[in-house]
Amino acid sequence: MDFSAVNWLAVIAAAIVAWLFGAAWYMGLSKAWLKAAKLDPATMKKSLLPFVISFIAELVMAYVMALVVGAMTGGEPTLLAGLVFGFVIWLGFVATTLSVNHRYENFGWDLTLIDGGHWLGVLLIIGAVIGWFGAVAG
């Protein structure tokens, strides 16, 4: 696997679009998410750090998705392949992890559905952008 041949335009574009999706997702579901996460906005610390960390995480996800999609498609990804890999990665790692963690943390399924839906959207978007742009620098 060639770690240097990644299409950085695709990685950066995927991370930006995924981050914007997350902003819209959680703005639309903010009241439900706060309730499900058992958080009180009045006692929450205001910080930009979570937004920065989420963007960095999505950059890492997009980079790894480019490596996976590029390797699994022989460097010839498609939009459909990106969507399929995004879904499979979400199902195999994110949905399972959230389901387990939220049960141990005593959160309800409502939080799992909200957070899981967000990460499904993120990985589908990242996969689609990587598949559309191409995983490997041309």
Side-chain angles (χ1 to χ4, degrees):
M1 183 177 306
D2 185 358
F3 290 92
S4 65
V6 169
N7 183 341
W8 284 103
L9 177 61
V11 168
I12 292 167
I16 290 169
V17 176
W19 190 88
L20 291 172
F21 165 77
W25 180 267
Y26 283 109
M27 282 192 311
L29 294 170
S30 62
K31 287 183 177 149
W33 181 80
L34 286 167
K35 182 180 176 194
K38 303 174 186 171
L39 295 172
D40 178 4
T43 62
M44 293 173 62
K45 220 171 49 168
K46 308 286 189 266
S47 172
L48 291 177
L49 189 59
F51 300 98
V52 172
I53 291 170
S54 65
F55 182 71
I56 292 168
E58 287 160 351
L59 272 173
V60 171
M61 288 179 182
Y63 178 73
V64 171
M65 182 77 75
L67 292 173
V68 169
V69 171
M72 296 301 290
T73 62
E76 304 273 337
T78 64
L79 182 88
L80 180 59
L83 287 169
V84 168
F85 282 109
F87 177 76
V88 169
I89 288 170
W90 173 82
L91 183 64
F93 298 101
V94 178
T96 55
T97 301
L98 282 177
S99 296
V100 171
N101 285 1
H102 286 170
R103 301 302 70 74
Y104 278 108
E105 295 164 345
N106 202 28
F107 287 113
W109 285 101
D110 50 349
L111 183 62
T112 306
L113 291 173
I114 293 168
D115 288 344
H118 163 255
W119 290 116
L120 173 61
V122 163
L123 285 166
L124 289 175
I125 289 166
I126 288 173
V129 172
I130 296 297
W132 184 43
F133 275 61
V136 178

